[in-house]
Amino acid sequence: MADALVYRAEGRAVLDGGDLYGFTVTAWELPATYPPFAALLFVPAAWLPVPALKLLFLVGNTALCGLLLHLSCRLAGLRLRPRRLCAATALALWLEPVFQTVVFGQINLAVACLVLWDLTRPRGAPGRGVALGVAAGIKLTPVFFVAYLFVVGRTREAVTALGAFAGTVLAGVLVLPGAGVDFWTRRVFETGRVGKAWIVDNQSLQGLLARALHTAEPGLTWAVPAALTAAAGLWLIRRTPDGPRAVLLAAFTTLLVCPISWSHHWVWCVPLLVLLVAEGRPRPAAAVAALFTARTFWLLPHHGDLDLRLPWWQQPLASPYALLALVLPLLLSTRLSTRTEVPPPRPEVDSPHGTNLAEQDDRRPAHPRPGRALPRR
């Protein structure tokens, strides 16, 4: 749980008035990489003994895995009884992104739950967008979901999320002015500080291209395709009439275009699997589950700079998540099933055109449904 120890050190730096971005901890010399607002939330971790902190992360992440499954079912319009939810949680813990999140003591499940809870709240619920903005203030990458909200016509929520995000930035600067200025003027641009982009742990588009081109600095070779991928993702989101699919398009586009998306960031595989199961597509669900449990990139030579010298036939094994994300937008934006069916009511998720899906369902005719492992941050 090396990352949990980093969070603890961040909380201690806040309490002691130390340099938030000037220390490294653990044998792997891991630094703080999150905004100052996140460090404020980590203060309670500094009060706990290390064994108690590790136990808390173990129990907490297990519970958050169950919560993510529950929210994923709400997104997909699927109802699971408590026993089945517990069984599904036990299975989901073996998905590589979830497993690594638990092992590293990461907060990916918490961030995903914040985002998904906010996006699936009922229309008219007070403060929609606040949790998304707070999640972005903790780990930055959820900012792409604000663009998603604008694209699908949920402007008020997008503005609320931006306001909440700005509030986290302001809070960090006011409480930790030195760290706040340092982060937002310098550290936020130092992607290399997070880790080497070309190692197999990084399953983003940049990692894929760096390994395929055998270069540690892909530069414009990555930046241009990433910008085009982000634009294509937003275009597909706008053309996707199905709310749950649009949410997953946003999630996987975020993971793909982010400079570094460590394998444990891909916990969004959980709602993807739930959606495939809810739509009655067991074969794609089984294939996706196999991909996220196979751990193929950990089986490849990856010590030192061996990640940059992989032969062509090992490249797909080195970047399975990124390759899936490249194919997934088209898969999710098109109904593969030829049968006519109406999805179960989803009152919590709005359509891209601002109409509640439950309201749309009321106007539809009813049809019966046929039956390595170095820690990476």
Side-chain angles (χ1 to χ4, degrees):
M1 294 194 180
D3 288 330
L5 299 180
V6 176
Y7 304 151
R8 186 174 187 269
E10 290 185 44
R12 177 53 57 188
V14 173
L15 293 175
D16 296 341
D19 185 357
L20 182 59
Y21 300 106
F23 69 81
T24 58
V25 293
T26 77
W28 297 278
E29 299 183 349
L30 300 175
T33 59
Y34 297 166
F37 176 73
L40 299 178
L41 301 181
F42 295 147
V43 167
W47 299 333
L48 296 175
V50 172
L53 180 66
K54 291 183 176 182
L55 179 62
L56 178 64
F57 267 88
L58 174 63
V59 176
N61 272 325
T62 301
L64 285 170
C65 181
L67 177 59
L68 183 60
L69 272 165
H70 169 72
L71 294 172
S72 300
C73 290
R74 189 164 79 174
L75 176 74
L78 183 67
R79 291 182 177 86
L80 278 185
R81 294 180 179 178
R83 288 184 180 180
R84 292 187 177 183
L85 181 62
C86 290
T89 301
L91 293 174
L93 287 170
W94 292 99
L95 297 168
E96 192 271 345
V98 178
F99 185 84
Q100 294 293 82
T101 291
V102 175
V103 169
F104 290 163
Q106 258 285 345
I107 60 171
N108 305 299
L109 289 166
V111 172
C113 285
L114 271 176
V115 173
L116 198 53
W117 174 77
D118 208 352
L119 293 179
T120 58
R121 297 181 68 197
R123 175 183 288 273
R128 288 208 309 181
V130 172
L132 173 57
V134 171
I138 296 172
K139 209 165 181 178
L140 291 185
T141 49
V143 168
F144 189 84
F145 283 96
V146 178
Y148 153 81
L149 290 175
F150 276 115
V151 166
V152 301
R154 295 163 67 173
T155 306
R156 178 177 295 183
E157 289 178 59
V159 173
T160 301
L162 284 178
F165 173 65
T168 67
V169 175
L170 181 61
V173 171
L174 290 178
V175 179
L176 303 170
V181 172
D182 185 22
F183 181 84
W184 294 108
T185 62
R186 177 185 171 193
R187 304 296 183 179
V188 70
F189 304 107
E190 297 176 350
T191 56
R193 177 182 176 84
V194 181
K196 298 179 177 64
W198 44 267
I199 58 179
V200 292
D201 312 45
N202 183 20
Q203 289 293 302
S204 71
L205 182 62
Q206 180 175 219
L208 183 154
L209 292 173
R211 291 185 292 270
L213 299 175
H214 308 290
T215 175
E217 299 290 341
L220 288 177
T221 310
W222 160 74
V224 174
L228 294 175
T229 301
L234 291 174
W235 179 78
L236 285 170
I237 289 168
R238 184 68 183 88
R239 292 176 57 86
T240 303
D242 184 280
R245 289 171 176 244
V247 170
L248 288 176
L249 281 172
F252 280 85
T253 302
T254 301
L255 292 167
L256 195 57
V257 302
C258 185
I260 292 181
S261 293
W262 300 134
S263 67
H264 52 77
H265 292 174
W266 293 73
V267 293
W268 285 91
C269 64
V270 174
L272 171 61
L273 284 167
V274 170
L275 181 62
L276 293 174
V277 171
E279 292 183 345
R281 298 163 62 184
R283 291 182 180 178
V288 170
L291 184 143
F292 280 103
T293 54
R295 296 159 167 77
T296 56
F297 45 90
W298 294 122
L299 303 177
L300 300 175
H302 56 269
H303 299 289
D305 64 347
L306 293 179
D307 314 58
L308 284 174
R309 292 185 279 165
L310 298 173
W312 66 268
W313 61 272
Q314 290 182 347
Q315 294 295 334
L317 301 177
S319 306
Y321 301 171
L323 291 174
L324 173 66
L326 286 171
V327 176
L328 201 63
L330 183 60
L331 174 67
L332 289 178
S333 62
T334 306
R335 289 278 186 189
L336 296 187
S337 177
T338 58
R339 65 178 183 264
T340 302
E341 60 177 289
V342 176
R346 303 180 183 114
E348 303 88 351
V349 185
D350 293 334
S351 77
H353 306 291
T355 304
N356 188 281
L357 287 179
E359 298 170 359
Q360 292 179 351
D361 288 343
D362 291 339
R363 297 191 294 268
R364 295 171 182 162
H367 296 281
R369 291 173 61 90
R372 208 204 293 194
L374 291 183
R376 305 296 186 188
R377 305 186 59 244

